[in-house]
Amino acid sequence: MSAGLDAFVAAGPGPLPVVLRTLLAVARRPRGRALLDRAPRIQAAVHAALSLGRYDDPAVSRALGWDADAIVARGRALRRAEGRP
Amino acid sequence: MSLSVSSSRTLEADVCVIGAGAGGAVVAAELAEGGARVVVLEQGPAHDPGTFTARPPEMLARLYRDGGQTTTVGTPPILLPLGRGAGGTTLVNSGTCFRTPPAVLDRWREDFGLDLDEAGLAPLFDRVERALSVAEVTPELAGANAAIARRGAERLGWSHGYLRRNARGCVGSGVCVFGCPTSAKQHTGITYLPRAAAAGARVVTGADVRHIDVRGGRARAVHAHLEGGGRLEVRAPTVVVCAGTIHTPLLLARNGLGGASGQLGRNLALHPATAAFGRMDEVVDMARGVPQSFYVDEFAAQGIMFEGVAGPPGYAAMSLPLVGEPHRAAMADYRRLAQFGLMVSDASRGRVRSLAGRPVIQYGLVEADVAKFRLGLARLEELFLAAGAREVLLPLPPGVRPEHARARDLKLMAFHPLGTARAAARATDGVVDGDLAVHGVEGVCVADGSVVPSALGVNPQLTIMALATRLAFRLLERRTDFRPPTAPPPEEETACRS
């Protein structure tokens, strides 16, 4: 799991981080995936979390035209140049 | 700006403000500039924009309460992301600014006896909009995602327009809800809160308020636990609770305040929302430009509003209503994906309660609101098809058409919780009165979304800020030793950069 996704999961309320980590582990196994197919709403939540992590990978998102580092660098330059907070 | 309090101590103030979001930061600035001694207690941190990464998972974890994973209990469950820290949810909202619709004010006057009208509120809105540099987004800055919605609306002859936003020098980074990396969004953490501090207010972050001391029917002090381990007592005859619609009723209830009417924690409206994707032939790059920059209000009278929504690949991947290979194929085509949102002015009402110190948010969608989603999703599909989409991806289970959608089929989020300490002139109807003072107690007021008595049908941040400004002025009027609030806020450069 990427550091970003790990932080996201850990920030969840109450017992959710433990539940979500377990489900993510289940979803990585073929039999687990088959099991989740029977619970569409849970499957959708797990899939959303996995997708959030996968497409946050800089190499993946850059290939899709999105470069977070460039956005941040532009922001830093603008804040410095214009004295923004 | 934040006062560092490392050990137990006591502060004296005229007013203690709990929370530094849309309500708290505004009321603190106006009071401090009017001459009041103000202490602001904010539970979260003051976020440094220099550390924002524009990467959704990390920023969700840092800027949102519970990592943005707060969810309602009911059918369907609704994701309810709430901001945490200086600026509150204004730090992570889309920046959309609407004044309270006059028809809503009319209803509040009739149903709740509130002395609020368009003309009376206009100077307050003017003041807030000046302070936040509110201006209409330009078509260039709005980006291709908005242009697609505009094309569809024009072909259908539907009412539409570019949204007004609180942004200054925006360059369309596309990550408003993940922390603006250019500090263009004028959230209250970089506008009102610094003004409050400059006028002498003491702002304490990492302060978790545990107790509001009320003796003899009036407020005396506020007690907080500090992040560093110390305790803080703020002795103040006036306390303004601005902890937000979910947490304000819990704080009041924990202190035995506001419960007489039986309305505390009830009447929760959310503006439930969803979004559809369109697969286009043209390159959209939805995250280039202002994600929420355009609206279609053709169906506003029916409680349905369309507003732009968009984000980087991680966000889009999370939102796409697909799994498996279809999801991979759609994401491979991310640059040609467009997205637009649908928000419902809800008749459903929920309730917030505390379970082991945490909020439990109960909210079930009534049939009238399900019907609005049915109609809204069908119209949203029509909008995309009119704009030239070759496929529309609706947030519904496979094989379910909008007209047959049930509550449990809907995939919803909500961003505007309102009403859990609603204002009403009569003590039997609401938690606070028309001046936002808690019924039955001296010196405790509320200024956040919880006092807004009903769904607005539009984004609520300006309404909350105007009501907070009004409260500050009312409090200042009562004190002869405060300066009258005649000076306008500093003139700000308005307009987004295109």
Side-chain angles (χ1 to χ4, degrees):
Chain A
M1 197 185 301
S2 70
L5 182 58
D6 193 48
F8 169 72
V9 172
L16 196 59
V18 174
V19 173
L20 193 49
R21 276 184 215 287
T22 306
L23 289 169
L24 290 173
V26 168
R28 288 196 184 90
R29 298 164 186 272
R31 282 180 63 188
R33 278 198 293 275
L35 202 65
L36 288 176
D37 282 346
R38 295 183 208 161
R41 200 169 273 280
I42 294 174
Q43 183 198 41
V46 172
H47 185 267
L50 284 171
S51 301
L52 178 65
R54 185 176 302 129
Y55 289 92
D56 183 54
D57 181 329
V60 175
S61 57
R62 268 190 215 115
L64 297 174
W66 168 258
D67 186 342
D69 291 341
I71 294 287
V72 170
R74 181 175 62 170
R76 191 175 297 127
L78 268 172
R79 289 200 318 279
R80 194 184 304 120
E82 298 182 8
R84 299 184 188 190
Chain B
M1 177 179 66
S2 301
L3 180 72
S4 174
V5 181
S6 53
S7 59
S8 300
R9 61 179 291 188
T10 300
L11 299 173
E12 301 278 344
D14 296 313
V15 183
C16 179
V17 178
I18 302 170
V26 173
V27 84
E30 294 291 2
L31 285 170
E33 288 174 354
R37 294 175 305 150
V38 176
V39 172
V40 181
L41 302 178
E42 165 56 45
Q43 187 187 43
H47 297 285
D48 174 6
T51 66
F52 292 174
T53 64
R55 295 180 62 176
E58 187 184 344
M59 300 318 293
L60 282 165
R62 281 168 48 190
L63 305 185
Y64 285 77
R65 194 180 279 274
D66 294 330
Q69 298 165 64
T70 306
T71 307
T72 63
V73 178
T75 305
I78 300 173
L79 198 61
L80 181 63
L82 305 168
R84 181 173 180 268
T89 299
T90 71
L91 172 72
V92 290
N93 69 12
S94 295
T96 296
C97 292
F98 279 100
R99 295 188 176 196
T100 320
V104 172
L105 295 173
D106 291 345
R107 206 164 60 235
W108 290 353
R109 253 196 324 280
E110 198 168 302
D111 293 349
F112 303 105
L114 298 180
D115 180 25
L116 297 169
D117 60 37
E118 194 178 6
L121 287 175
L124 301 173
F125 281 120
D126 288 343
R127 187 175 179 92
V128 171
E129 289 171 357
R130 254 197 322 270
L132 297 182
S133 307
V134 174
E136 189 175 295
V137 183
T138 62
E140 297 77 20
L141 192 62
N145 197 54
I148 287 163
R150 179 180 175 177
R151 190 165 69 216
E154 283 177 348
R155 286 178 181 168
L156 292 164
W158 290 353
S159 172
H160 61 268
Y162 287 95
L163 288 162
R164 286 161 54 78
R165 300 177 69 245
N166 52 322
R168 189 179 180 201
C170 175
V171 292
S173 301
V175 285
C176 308
V177 301
F178 302 115
C180 179
T182 61
S183 292
K185 186 168 67 180
Q186 300 294 288
H187 66 82
T188 58
I190 61 169
T191 51
Y192 277 100
L193 208 55
R195 274 176 51 191
R202 288 164 288 180
V203 181
V204 184
T205 53
D208 185 13
V209 171
R210 299 300 179 93
H211 181 58
I212 301 170
D213 186 3
V214 175
R215 277 173 285 151
R218 68 165 306 123
R220 307 284 173 181
V222 174
H223 299 266
H225 288 194
L226 302 171
E227 206 166 29
R231 306 277 174 101
L232 178 64
E233 177 185 15
V234 181
R235 291 184 187 153
T238 302
V239 176
V240 185
V241 182
C242 312
T245 298
I246 302 304
H247 291 84
T248 283
L250 302 189
L251 180 59
L252 292 176
R254 203 159 67 224
N255 287 280
L257 300 168
S261 66
Q263 302 297 332
L264 186 64
R266 295 179 182 270
N267 311 304
L268 174 69
L270 291 177
H271 288 165
T274 190
F277 287 85
R279 296 183 77 168
M280 312 301 295
D281 288 324
E282 70 218 72
V283 170
V284 181
D285 281 333
M286 66 159 77
R288 289 190 189 168
V290 177
Q292 193 161 90
S293 52
F294 193 78
Y295 69 94
V296 177
D297 62 350
E298 179 71 16
F299 309 101
Q302 291 150 272
I304 299 164
M305 182 76 127
F306 298 149
E307 288 182 357
V309 56
Y315 153 84
M318 184 172 58
S319 320
L320 260 178
L322 298 169
V323 294
E325 182 50 37
H327 184 275
R328 270 189 290 277
M331 280 308 298
D333 212 16
Y334 165 79
R335 300 194 67 183
R336 289 180 169 75
L337 281 177
Q339 193 186 21
F340 220 65
L342 146 64
M343 178 173 87
V344 157
S345 183
D346 46 340
S348 313
R349 291 293 177 265
R351 184 175 184 184
V352 182
R353 281 193 268 208
S354 175
L355 182 66
R358 293 192 59 87
V360 175
I361 309 162
Q362 293 172 297
Y363 183 94
L365 213 57
V366 299
E367 179 54 29
D369 289 337
V370 178
K372 291 173 196 165
F373 277 107
R374 286 190 199 110
L375 176 64
L377 286 169
R379 294 291 175 263
L380 199 49
E381 184 177 42
E382 207 177 332
L383 182 77
F384 271 122
L385 292 173
R390 54 190 153 87
E391 186 185 3
V392 182
L393 304 169
L394 294 173
L396 292 170
V400 175
R401 294 289 307 152
E403 59 271 26
H404 298 124
R406 300 157 297 182
R408 66 175 187 235
D409 295 327
L410 298 169
K411 184 181 173 189
L412 304 182
M413 295 181 78
F415 307 95
H416 308 148
L418 302 166
T420 54
R422 77 180 180 194
R426 293 194 311 180
T428 50
D429 295 340
V431 175
V432 298
D433 64 20
D435 287 341
L436 308 188
V438 174
H439 284 294
V441 59
E442 282 286 309
V444 181
C445 303
V446 180
D448 57 28
S450 69
V451 301
V452 175
S454 73
L456 296 167
V458 295
N459 308 51
Q461 66 169 345
L462 278 198
T463 296
I464 296 167
M465 292 179 194
L467 292 177
T469 305
R470 181 171 170 272
L471 169 63
F473 288 3
R474 294 280 163 100
L475 291 173
L476 290 170
E477 282 163 10
R478 290 181 200 160
R479 296 287 301 258
T480 52
D481 51 332
F482 296 163
R483 287 193 299 273
T486 50
E491 201 63 48
E492 301 274 11
E493 169 201 343
T494 55
C496 299
R497 175 179 304 167
S498 52

